[in-house]
Amino acid sequence: MKTIFNNLHQCHDSSMELFEGSIVPAFEKPQRAELIRQRINEVHLGPIVNASEFPLRFATAVHDLRMVAFIENAYTEWEQLGRTGGAIPYSFLARGCCCNAVPVSLDGRLAYYTFDVATPVTRTSWQAVKGSVDTALTAAKLLHDGERAAFALCRPPGHHAGTDYYGGYCFLNNAAIAVNAIVEEGSQRVAVLDIDYHHGNGTQEIFYRRDDVLFVSIHADPTHEFPFFSGHADEAGASDGEGFNLNFPLPAGTGWKVWSEALGNALSRIAAYGPDVLVVSLGVDTYHGDPISHFLLGQEDFIRLGKRIASLQRPTLFVMEGGYAVDELGINVVNVLTGYEGA
Amino acid sequence: MKTIFNNLHQCHDSSMELFEGSIVPAFEKPQRAELIRQRINEVHLGPIVNASEFPLRFATAVHDLRMVAFIENAYTEWEQLGRTGGAIPYSFLARGCCCNAVPVSLDGRLAYYTFDVATPVTRTSWQAVKGSVDTALTAAKLLHDGERAAFALCRPPGHHAGTDYYGGYCFLNNAAIAVNAIVEEGSQRVAVLDIDYHHGNGTQEIFYRRDDVLFVSIHADPTHEFPFFSGHADEAGASDGEGFNLNFPLPAGTGWKVWSEALGNALSRIAAYGPDVLVVSLGVDTYHGDPISHFLLGQEDFIRLGKRIASLQRPTLFVMEGGYAVDELGINVVNVLTGYEGA
């Protein structure tokens, strides 16, 4: 399997984040992508290909143009105000408030567009954000050109970014942008299987009213885990998309047995849908050693998981999402891919 | 004029806050109330009376009982998780997400109930929060017992706290709780005049559908200033409350001339309403020297302002809200009160 990589990922390095009341080193850091690349080389998974550049219209086909422009330009405005560090909000939307009017000031737009303080726009973040989208689009093009599978080693991740909001380390939704491009290229049906520990709230929202994209997610129960307000089992899609959104929220402490049962149900639904292409939002923060997550998958489980995904026998695009146990990150991610390849 | 004071305010001291991307000393700090008290003594404004305790039902008549209990108990849960510092969220509600289900985990409930990271629940915050409510209620009782005016030296402030959310340094809405108590005691009509630099989004929301409380606010245009999503001129109330909410958003750089024109319009509307009681949400962050605000009122303007409020000739309850130019805080606040008294 080919891996698509983009050196520009290093342009996003937020160094610190606010987590559980403390300022801590950022969990989502450049080392993540580098270690995965290193492991890919070690096990000779396949060629590592540089990402090509794609027009921004692929991103704005999925995201609000104003938000995309905001992410591109926020740091310049931030700096003009004499501020340092990454651009983050100090306030957020309160429930019940009017949210139709986009505020004008920078702090107001930050409050409008992002939902946490863990996703700062730094001086060079945009290069990484755009580069991450290009990584996913390059991989999608490989599939279009006949590859059976490809791995988009995206960084920053994307699945928490919605039509007009970003957060959870994600700016633009790489997977969703790739899915939309695949549909535009002529696929009738695309399935997204999101196996990150956290619910892919952005991807769900983007496709919630569409029946040409089936979104299936296995994740930590949002009543206990980020993103907290999305990912419940009763969120089944709306309008044309009703029945095309399927969530499997699982409790803390979930290990392979329960997780793989959910995977079996997810794969059955995907098989019944019969997608032209499968896009996997690949997070490995389901690993028992992950510092911010509470599932108990082991390294070998990731191989099994890859095999199970391969059993669908669909052209498959893996898009990198989360996973923060850095020392084992390369092993866990590549185990999924070798599991898939060896199936 | 009597001032109601509560030593318990010192129990809330969050020390640091995240503002414009940096961790800075908290703007809302115990010294604020102490300096105002000191100035009251210096100018012999009148007796300083200790707050009495009131049943919590006065607060839960306005706020969601679960949120009140949450504020009371959040720190204990926070500590049980081994965390230090004040309890703050690391994530917030994204637009368009389901917000009917209150999450179960502490981080989820923090994300649900508060809209910023500047309003931490510390080990002893609850004592100060409850004490601040008692301060407002004690002052309201003085009016009920025949005083012409009273000053509730509340801290923490309250006007950003809504029915079921808190933030902006505010936990429970002291002014709104007092207003509701005044109505319950038999007043047919109460007017709230909110002159804090920031829109009193919580107070507006609490009374938005009621015609027995007129809410009038003069504040920085929310398209540029916190709270960003509330305080526009077209927010006029709803249902029974339609026409009983009046916002005067003003641009950065507003000085006395423009501000006092808005005040004149606000007072005209209040006079036409003919309230039994006037409650003034008194913020002096309209001062030109305020570190986080952008209006240009001078010290003498606060005397004029007090006189103008007195011209309504209504029993008047002043409830302390914001104001962060600490060195001049006592002077500015007491100028309003002496202006009122001397009118």
Side-chain angles (χ1 to χ4, degrees), chain B residues 195-236:
Chain B
I195 57 173
D196 189 278
Y197 176 78
H198 304 97
H199 181 245
N201 59 311
T203 315
Q204 168 171 306
E205 181 263 328
I206 288 167
F207 298 118
Y208 207 62
R209 292 165 186 278
R210 287 171 61 166
D211 60 5
D212 54 351
V213 180
L214 171 70
F215 178 73
V216 182
S217 181
I218 306 168
H219 53 265
D221 188 336
T223 62
H224 285 80
E225 275 287 11
F226 180 90
F228 299 118
F229 305 103
S230 172
H232 301 94
D234 61 358
E235 295 159 16

Side-chain angles (χ1 to χ4, degrees), chain A:
Chain A
M1 177 184 325
K2 285 181 182 162
T3 294
I4 315 302
F5 188 80
N6 198 328
N7 269 318
L8 289 171
H9 84 84
Q10 299 189 9
C11 292
H12 181 64
D13 185 359
S14 57
S15 74
M16 307 299 278
E17 70 171 274
L18 178 70
F19 183 67
E20 297 182 350
S22 299
I23 301 287
V24 298
F27 292 104
E28 203 296 291
K29 53 191 172 185
Q31 194 190 6
R32 294 177 62 246
E34 296 299 329
L35 289 171
I36 296 167
R37 179 168 69 160
Q38 193 177 309
R39 180 70 181 172
I40 287 167
N41 281 325
E42 278 169 19
V43 305
H44 307 293
L45 178 75
I48 297 182
V49 179
N50 286 328
S52 308
E53 283 194 59
F54 285 78
L56 201 54
R57 68 176 162 78
F58 288 99
T60 56
V62 160
H63 292 289
D64 182 307
L65 178 63
R66 294 175 304 176
M67 182 185 80
V68 176
F70 178 74
I71 295 170
E72 185 172 2
N73 298 306
Y75 189 82
T76 302
E77 291 188 53
W78 183 259
E79 198 170 35
Q80 281 166 355
L81 293 172
R83 302 182 190 170
T84 55
I88 53 173
Y90 67 85
S91 176
F92 297 87
L93 189 69
R95 264 169 299 122
C97 278
C98 156
C99 57
N100 297 321
V102 184
V104 173
S105 65
L106 177 59
D107 291 308
R109 279 174 291 145
L110 283 165
Y112 183 86
Y113 285 122
T114 184
F115 60 86
D116 65 24
V117 291
T119 316
V121 180
T122 69
R123 184 190 303 272
T124 53
S125 291
W126 173 251
Q127 281 86 328
V129 170
K130 172 66 166 58
S132 195
V133 169
D134 286 339
T135 302
L137 288 169
T138 304
K141 185 160 190 312
L142 281 186
L143 257 68
H144 183 71
D145 293 346
E147 296 278 343
R148 178 175 165 262
F151 175 42
L153 212 179
C154 292
R155 191 189 158 267
H159 72 147
H160 296 308
T163 306
D164 59 358
Y165 54 82
Y166 67 92
Y169 313 145
C170 302
F171 297 91
L172 298 179
N173 195 318
N174 310 305
I177 292 165
V179 165
N180 199 65
I182 291 166
V183 171
E184 285 185 1
E185 288 287 343
S187 288
Q188 302 291 309
R189 291 175 184 169
V190 179
V192 180
L193 173 63
D194 189 323
I195 57 173
D196 189 278
Y197 175 79
H198 304 95
H199 180 245
N201 59 310
T203 314
Q204 168 172 306
E205 182 262 330
I206 287 167
F207 298 117
Y208 207 62
R209 292 165 185 278
R210 286 171 60 167
D211 60 3
D212 54 351
V213 180
L214 171 69
F215 178 73
V216 182
S217 180
I218 306 168
H219 53 265
D221 187 336
T223 62
H224 285 80
E225 275 288 9
F226 179 90
F228 299 117
F229 305 102
S230 173
H232 301 93
D234 61 357
E235 295 160 15
S239 180
D240 287 351
E242 198 166 336
F244 297 90
N245 195 88
L246 189 57
N247 285 324
F248 294 94
L250 299 174
T254 291
W256 174 251
K257 186 170 177 299
V258 170
W259 196 93
S260 64
E261 281 169 19
L263 179 65
N265 292 327
L267 295 177
S268 295
R269 176 69 184 95
I270 292 168
Y273 183 66
D276 300 330
V277 177
L278 172 66
V279 173
V280 178
S281 263
L282 175 56
V284 294
D285 38 8
T286 48
Y287 180 55
H288 67 76
D290 196 89
I292 59 173
S293 307
H294 304 281
F295 283 177
L296 303 175
L297 267 56
Q299 295 185 3
E300 298 300 307
D301 296 329
F302 290 110
I303 299 174
R304 296 187 184 101
L305 187 168
K307 280 186 203 291
R308 297 281 294 276
I309 291 172
S311 71
L312 281 174
Q313 298 185 294
R314 296 286 155 179
T316 303
L317 169 57
F318 291 92
V319 177
M320 191 64 211
E321 303 286 0
Y324 310 100
V326 171
D327 289 344
E328 298 87 2
L329 183 62
I331 294 168
N332 292 337
V333 169
V334 177
N335 276 3
V336 174
L337 305 175
T338 54
Y340 180 93
E341 290 280 83

